[in-house]
Amino acid sequence: MGGPVVLGIESSCDETGAGIVQDGKLLAHVVATSMDEHARFGGVVPEIASRAHLQSFNPVVRRALDQAGLRLGRIDAVAVTTGPGLSGALQVGLAGAKSLAYAAGVPLYGVHHLAGHVAADTLEHGPLPAPCVVLIVSGGHTSLLLVRDLVREPILHLGDTLDDAAGECFDKVARILGLPYPGGPAIDRAAREGDPRAVDFPRPLTRSGDDPYAFSFSGLKTAAARWVERHRLRGEEPSVADGAAALQEAVADVLTRKALAACRAYDVKTLVVVGGVAANSRVRALAEERCAQNGVELRVPPMTLCTDNGAMIAAVGDLLVRAGAEPAPLHVSIDPSAPLEYAALTPLPAPTGRAA
């Protein structure tokens, strides 16, 4: 028979995802993206994303159920991203998930989006070792975490980006270099033909006395813009390949340097790298190299599980159900700026009454 079957829904940004997990095993994984609709604007447009979620929700869920060979009545729980993310996009996913849970007569679990990224690795490599250091690196988030039991214990937030996330830096510099959106894959492709030593870009917040676990990529973005500007003022076009390679090297250096420092400080022997930028070839390669040098095991999910997807939300839901966690009430709301403290995220509506 097996354990409970959990359907996960993700709609925090521009991907509509549905995944099905049972006993830590992935049964279905379907994603529809509206990225092409945003590309001409150079970034995600919230209204377009919300409309795309509305159009994609039912087809994506149906495809996931078909892929798993299941009917909705066979689902034992529904998990959904309730934050953080774009408000309208989250609302679409939550409304759909509530409808599914109500129709199937099963419990609903609200999940923190970043906890989903952490749990994505369990679908490939099994349970997370306790403790482990997790580096979450994506278009909107760059965070270092110390994780023990993902669904039973608080998550220790070691550090975050103070301004631009790593993926955001890639997007902005790609635009400056004339590369397409999304910038991360475009930078990665261009860097293959470049020299990472051609430009001496800064490594932000890596000097003695800086916060060892905080990140800052706004200055790196500015340094890249100034480098391009200096060339063009001389009537020259900069080498896109060299600029991309040097930028990618700087980002990978900072990310992996701080992640390994956290592993040493907390005597942790496993580093998990998750999020969209975990798909970057240089971030992966440098993480492998430095983990090997420090005797640390590196775990990175497959590329299909690095970007936003419903499978990672189902993975958290599966862990919550098996841990006996309380489900969310059906009137649970979203929290677009939710801090990461626990994997379960069940913000309630603000109390009604007269304003102060």
Side-chain angles (χ1 to χ4, degrees):
M1 288 289 290
V5 178
V6 180
L7 169 66
I9 303 295
E10 157 61 25
S11 69
S12 66
C13 192
D14 59 339
E15 277 99 9
T16 310
I20 300 176
V21 171
Q22 181 182 34
D23 289 331
K25 300 292 187 289
L26 183 60
L27 304 183
H29 170 38
V30 178
V31 176
T33 180
S34 57
M35 187 174 293
D36 289 345
E37 298 177 59
H38 304 286
R40 60 197 176 108
F41 299 102
V44 176
V45 180
E47 292 82 1
I48 292 176
S50 299
R51 188 159 55 247
H53 289 307
L54 281 168
Q55 295 168 346
S56 299
F57 186 90
N58 284 336
V60 164
V61 171
R62 281 198 300 269
R63 283 174 55 201
L65 289 168
D66 289 345
Q67 197 177 94
L70 298 171
R71 304 182 315 276
L72 182 61
R74 180 64 182 84
I75 297 298
D76 298 298
V78 177
V80 60
T81 303
T82 46
L86 301 174
S87 179
L90 290 168
Q91 291 281 18
V92 173
L94 179 57
K98 285 181 177 181
S99 299
L100 292 172
Y102 183 79
V106 299
L108 176 73
Y109 291 84
V111 171
H112 197 288
H113 175 78
L114 297 186
H117 276 302
V118 178
D121 183 72
T122 67
L123 298 174
E124 178 72 11
H125 299 118
L128 292 170
C132 60
V133 168
V134 179
L135 173 64
I136 299 178
V137 55
S138 67
H141 304 279
T142 304
S143 302
L144 264 177
L145 314 172
L146 181 67
V147 177
R148 294 183 176 90
D149 187 309
L150 182 62
V151 299
R152 289 185 176 92
E153 296 185 38
I155 297 164
L156 180 57
H157 223 117
L158 301 178
D160 290 290
T161 184
L162 304 178
D163 39 58
D164 290 355
E168 188 178 359
C169 176
F170 280 150
D171 286 341
K172 290 177 177 177
V173 176
R175 188 185 307 174
I176 293 166
L177 292 172
L179 295 171
Y181 176 86
I187 291 284
D188 204 349
R189 288 191 298 269
R192 294 171 193 162
E193 307 299 322
D195 178 3
R197 298 178 299 275
V199 190
D200 186 22
F201 284 138
R203 270 55 170 172
L205 295 184
T206 56
R207 295 174 300 183
S208 176
D210 288 336
D211 186 329
Y213 309 129
F215 299 93
S216 171
F217 293 106
S218 179
L220 179 57
K221 170 202 67 183
T222 301
R226 294 291 175 266
W227 174 74
V228 171
E229 183 180 48
R230 286 195 298 272
H231 277 77
R232 290 176 178 165
L233 285 173
R234 296 195 298 264
E236 305 167 355
E237 274 302 307
S239 167
V240 172
D242 285 349
L247 177 80
Q248 184 172 262
E249 188 68 23
V251 170
D253 182 20
V254 171
L255 292 173
T256 57
R257 192 187 304 193
K258 287 177 175 281
L260 268 299
C263 289
R264 288 190 296 270
Y266 288 90
D267 194 25
V268 169
K269 297 302 181 185
T270 303
L271 171 65
V272 183
V273 182
V274 297
V277 179
N280 180 272
S281 63
R282 185 53 184 156
V283 171
R284 283 179 175 243
L286 193 55
E288 288 175 3
E289 178 185 322
R290 289 181 168 171
C291 282
Q293 291 169 351
N294 287 270
V296 172
E297 178 193 10
L298 175 66
R299 292 176 37 155
V300 186
M303 289 192 184
T304 55
L305 293 176
C306 284
T307 52
D308 294 350
N309 62 85
M312 70 187 197
I313 305 304
V316 178
D318 174 59
L319 292 171
L320 289 168
V321 171
R322 288 192 280 151
E326 283 290 318
L330 272 178
H331 59 276
V332 63
S333 65
I334 63 165
D335 186 349
S337 57
L340 178 58
E341 297 174 4
Y342 294 91
L345 180 62
T346 55
L348 300 177
T352 57
R354 193 174 56 185

